[in-house]
Amino acid sequence: MRAAQYTGNGSIETVETAEAAPGAGEVRIRVAYTGICGTDLHILHGNMDHRVTVPQSIGHEMSGTVDAVGDGVDGVTPGQAVTVMPLVWCGDCPACRAGNSHICQNLDFVGIETPGALQELWNVPASVVIPIPDGVSLAHAALVEPLAVAAHDVRRARLVAGETALVIGGGPIGQLIALVAARTGARVIVAEPNADRRALAAANGAHVVDPISENLGDIVQELTAGAGADVVFEVAGIPATALDATAHAKVRGRLVMVAIHPKPVLIDLQRVFWRELEILGARVYEREDFERAIDLIAAGEIPADTLITDIVPLEQTLQAFESLGNAQAMKVLVDVRAHG
């Protein structure tokens, strides 16, 4: 079978590898689409080599159909459309025992610590497989995982109808957070310097701000009658935006750190003290976030076709990474299926 593998030093290569039967408790998925995300870019840039075995197929945003099941697997059948919630936890660490297994202290993030979905046939533990309802296209189903990230971020923020959410960064996750926040009933402001990304957010109902040519602080103050945003989502992943984020939150507002900052960054703790702000981390997701994501996509609440800006064959995986890294695309899917 064909597989695209991260080979280190910023390189992705398409290779032929041997098929493997699913083991006991495993499901073999015939992968249809794999999405490329910011975490994958961090892997390509070498920032996560301490977690990834090289060479290795990566990728965890995906859709496909069940190809075969191993012994002891119930609940899915060959031919069924599925996605994965790519988290395998130990069940025994303090985090798991406290009910926080999604951020297990020994977490195996499938597609990082273990091989991912950039391969035609992918064996995964049955516990991570989630069925997709009939009628949902496999291309749209590949958005479930990143949409679950956004659903978790919004739920972690305790955002409710009538509040104001400021999303700093209008990339793929920022756009999805804005959509989930709007469907929660919040007023949404998106700060994003890229004109195309601002246009997409505006088309989806957000008030958009160019933080380069406009004064974001003045606009937030104007829109909130001087109070500030109830919730600020830091999604840009830039040291300057992390430092600036606290300035836009209201008294007792919440700051949700969504972006991955590979190195420690400055944050205005004086502002945190002065306004009694909360800083919340939001790392992955839980099962209820996946369920909400699936419901939103199945109901047509997410403009999936607009968000998917390109679909490329497996052999062009590296170009897909480059397109996303250069902010030339919103969500790029790799069509893993064999054609011809």
Side-chain angles (χ1 to χ4, degrees):
M1 67 173 181
R2 299 173 308 136
Q5 295 183 338
Y6 166 62
T7 55
N9 300 315
S11 180
I12 299 279
E13 296 180 10
T14 304
V15 299
E16 292 285 335
T17 63
E19 299 178 9
E26 289 188 333
V27 174
R28 186 166 73 181
I29 300 173
R30 186 167 295 278
V31 179
Y33 298 99
T34 300
I36 306 300
C37 76
T39 300
D40 298 319
L41 285 173
H42 281 289
I43 293 173
L44 183 68
H45 295 155
N47 295 324
M48 301 174 74
D49 281 357
H50 60 291
R51 296 174 59 187
V52 178
T53 301
V54 179
Q56 178 183 301
S57 290
I58 59 175
H60 54 273
E61 302 180 2
M62 62 78 62
S63 64
T65 54
V66 175
D67 183 72
V69 299
D71 291 342
V73 174
D74 297 314
V76 293
T77 57
Q80 187 173 14
V82 295
T83 186
V84 300
M85 187 175 112
L87 308 178
V88 178
W89 45 80
C90 72
D92 191 47
C93 70
C96 286
R97 293 198 302 270
N100 299 314
S101 55
H102 68 294
I103 44 174
C104 167
Q105 291 165 228
N106 303 303
L107 188 68
D108 170 5
F109 195 113
V110 182
I112 301 178
E113 277 84 13
T114 50
L118 283 169
Q119 53 185 313
E120 288 184 287
L121 293 169
W122 187 32
N123 291 337
V124 298
S127 62
V128 308
V129 177
I130 298 182
I132 295 296
D134 293 340
V136 175
S137 79
L138 289 175
H140 292 184
L143 297 181
V144 168
E145 195 272 353
L147 184 57
V149 170
H152 183 75
D153 297 338
V154 171
R155 185 166 63 87
R156 185 92 171 101
R158 308 191 306 277
L159 187 69
V160 297
E163 290 190 317
T164 296
L166 169 62
V167 181
I168 300 177
I173 294 298
Q175 299 282 346
L176 291 171
I177 289 172
L179 286 163
V180 176
R183 278 143 189 79
T184 305
R187 174 172 55 179
V188 180
I189 306 167
V190 174
E192 167 57 50
N194 182 286
D196 291 337
R197 291 179 169 185
R198 285 199 309 275
L200 177 59
N204 290 326
H207 184 105
V208 297
V209 180
D210 178 359
I212 304 300
S213 64
E214 300 177 278
N215 189 306
L216 177 59
D218 288 348
I219 292 171
V220 171
Q221 290 293 298
E222 179 182 351
L223 293 175
T224 61
D230 296 276
V231 177
V232 178
F233 296 94
E234 201 295 284
V235 199
I238 301 169
T241 57
L243 179 60
D244 188 52
T246 56
H248 307 301
K250 74 171 190 178
V251 168
R252 289 203 166 182
R254 288 95 73 197
L255 170 60
V256 183
M257 302 302 296
V258 177
I260 297 174
H261 289 269
K263 297 179 181 179
V265 298
L266 292 173
I267 193 163
D268 188 351
L269 292 180
Q270 200 278 341
R271 183 75 168 186
V272 174
F273 156 78
W274 196 255
R275 289 208 157 192
E276 291 196 354
L277 304 181
E278 292 181 59
I279 301 176
L280 301 165
R283 180 178 167 190
V284 279
Y285 28 63
E286 297 175 78
R287 181 66 182 242
E288 64 183 282
D289 303 310
F290 258 74
E291 291 170 353
R292 186 174 188 203
I294 290 171
D295 289 345
L296 286 169
I297 289 176
E301 292 289 317
I302 301 299
D305 289 326
T306 302
L307 294 167
I308 299 170
T309 48
D310 203 5
I311 298 176
V312 303
L314 186 67
E315 289 74 15
Q316 294 180 19
T317 298
L318 183 57
Q319 292 94 311
F321 274 80
E322 292 170 348
S323 178
L324 184 62
N326 295 331
Q328 295 174 346
M330 181 55 58
K331 179 54 63 179
V332 181
L333 301 184
V334 177
D335 188 343
V336 182
R337 301 169 297 179
H339 295 277

